[in-house]
Amino acid sequence: MKRIVILGTGGTIAGQARSAADNTGYVAGTIAVADLVAAVPPLAAFAIDAEQVAQTDSKDMTFAIWRALAQRVAHHLARKDVAGIVITHGTDTLEETAYFLHRVLAPARPVVLTGAMRPAGALAADGPQNLLDAVRLAASPEASGVLVCMAGTVHAGCEVRKAHPYRVDAFDSGDAGPLAYLEEGVLRRLRDWPRGDALGLAHVLRDDWPRVDIVLNYAGADDALVDALCALGVRGIVAAGTGNGTLGAPLEAALLRAQTGGVAVLRTSRTARGSVIDTPGAALPDAGTLTSVQARVELMLRLM
Ligand code: SIN
C-alpha cells in the first residue's frame, strides 16, 4: 500500500473552543496533526505519515511557512512510496497557499489541501469528514495536481476561493465550477485535473521576496495609497478594480505613473466571480481569472 503524507499547518481544523457550541470564539492551530489523524477511525485503513510543518492561524501565514511547506511537499513527492499528500490548513488564506503550490510545484501526483469551518470539538465538526475525503482523494490513482477538498467538493488549487466566512460549504471555484465531488468515498469527476508548468522550488528558496500589495477601487479612491506604496519601494501592485477591473481616474493615473516607474501592476476585479475580460489596448494588464490575492502571489512569483 502506498503512503499518504499529511502535513499539518494549523487552522480551524486543528482549533479548539471552550464550548462545543461555539463555532467562532476558538483558538485555531492548537491540536497536533497526528492527533487529528488519530481522531478519524477510518483513516486506520491507510498508511499515513503525519508531519507538523507549522501550527498557525492562517491569517498569520508567512512566506517562511510557505517555503518550508513547499520544501516538505517536494521532498515527499520525490518518494516513490508516496501516492499523494494532504495539507491541513486554515481556510482564511487557503486559496493563496493552494495557488502558490500550484505555480511552484504543479505536481503530477495529488496534493490536497483541506481545512474546516468549525473547530475540532464542535457539535458538528466538519474537519474529520474533510480530512477523510482529502486522504481518499490523495490516494486516488486518477487524481492529480494541487486540489482543495472541502465539504465533499473538489476544487482546483488555481481556481479555488473562499466565498463565505461561516458556512461549512465555504469554497467555490468562481465561473470554472468544481472539478469533482467526493460522495461516500466515490469520486465523481466533472472535468480535467489542473495542469501547469512548475516554476520550481529554486525560485522561492530565498528570503528577499518582493513586496507586492493590493489596492482597491471604490467611490472616492484617490492616488494617495499607490503613491505611498511607491515611496515605500513596492515592487508590484494588484489593483482590484470595480466591475471588469475598472479604476477611477486618480487611482488609474497613479498606477500608470507607478508602472512607468518600474512597478509591476496587475488589474483584477473586486467582484466575487468571473475574470477580467481583456480590453484591447488596456494600459494596465489584467490577471484574467485570478482572485486579487492569487494575482498577488502570481506577481510575487513573476518578480522572483
Ligand atoms: C484559519 O484560517 O486558520 C482560521 C479560520 C479557518 O481555518 O477557518
Side-chain angles (χ1 to χ4, degrees):
M1 191 196 302
K2 287 210 170 182
R3 305 191 77 78
I4 303 297
V5 176
I6 305 184
L7 302 176
T9 69
T12 296
I13 191 168
Q16 287 185 91
R18 289 226 178 100
S19 150
D22 186 354
N23 289 313
T24 54
Y26 57 86
V27 182
T30 58
I31 302 174
V33 65
D35 293 336
L36 297 181
V37 174
V40 183
L43 288 178
F46 296 86
I48 287 175
D49 295 342
E51 180 179 320
Q52 198 77 49
V53 174
Q55 189 61 293
T56 189
D57 185 316
S58 82
K59 69 178 169 50
D60 298 316
M61 184 51 64
T62 64
F63 299 153
I65 295 177
W66 275 358
R67 281 192 291 271
L69 184 61
Q71 279 179 291
R72 295 316 290 159
V73 171
H75 167 82
H76 290 296
L77 285 176
R79 292 170 53 188
K80 288 204 168 55
D81 63 333
V82 169
I85 295 176
V86 170
I87 299 169
T88 56
H89 197 290
T91 62
D92 285 347
T93 59
L94 187 146
E95 72 198 79
E96 295 173 55
T97 303
Y99 187 75
F100 168 71
L101 293 174
H102 165 78
R103 290 290 280 124
V104 172
L105 300 175
R109 269 176 282 168
V111 174
V112 185
L113 288 93
T114 193
M117 293 299 291
R118 294 176 181 162
L123 289 173
D126 52 331
Q129 183 69 54
N130 286 343
L131 185 56
L132 177 60
D133 285 347
V135 169
R136 286 169 165 164
L137 182 60
S140 164
E142 66 165 297
S144 158
V146 175
L147 309 171
V148 172
C149 186
M150 291 283 296
T153 307
V154 183
H155 305 275
C158 52
E159 293 161 342
V160 71
R161 67 216 49 200
K162 188 170 182 180
H164 200 281
Y166 180 71
R167 287 188 199 136
V168 170
D169 192 4
F171 284 81
D172 75 32
S173 295
D175 276 354
L179 290 177
Y181 295 108
L182 252 181
E183 295 156 335
E184 298 298 304
V186 178
L187 194 60
R188 178 157 62 93
R189 182 139 72 98
L190 306 177
R191 56 193 182 90
D192 283 346
W193 303 112
R195 293 212 188 111
D197 293 326
L199 291 171
L201 259 186
H203 285 278
V204 297
L205 295 185
R206 45 191 268 194
D207 51 19
D208 60 337
W209 283 25
R211 181 177 184 122
V212 176
D213 287 288
I214 301 174
V215 297
L216 191 67
N217 189 44
Y218 40 74
D222 65 11
D223 54 3
L225 288 179
V226 169
D227 288 349
L229 286 171
C230 291
L232 209 59
V234 75
R235 298 275 315 284
I237 298 177
V238 172
T242 28
N244 191 34
T246 56
L247 301 161
L251 180 58
E252 184 170 46
L255 288 161
L256 286 167
R257 281 198 303 278
Q259 186 174 252
T260 304
V263 175
V265 178
L266 272 182
R267 273 182 310 117
T268 57
S269 173
R270 69 176 211 184
T271 63
R273 291 210 169 80
S275 54
V276 175
I277 298 164
D278 197 22
T279 317
L284 295 168
D286 66 74
T289 59
L290 297 182
T291 66
S292 300
V293 290
Q294 289 171 333
R296 174 175 174 264
V297 175
E298 174 67 27
L299 209 42
M300 284 192 293
L301 293 173
R302 283 187 200 174
L303 289 165
M304 281 192 259

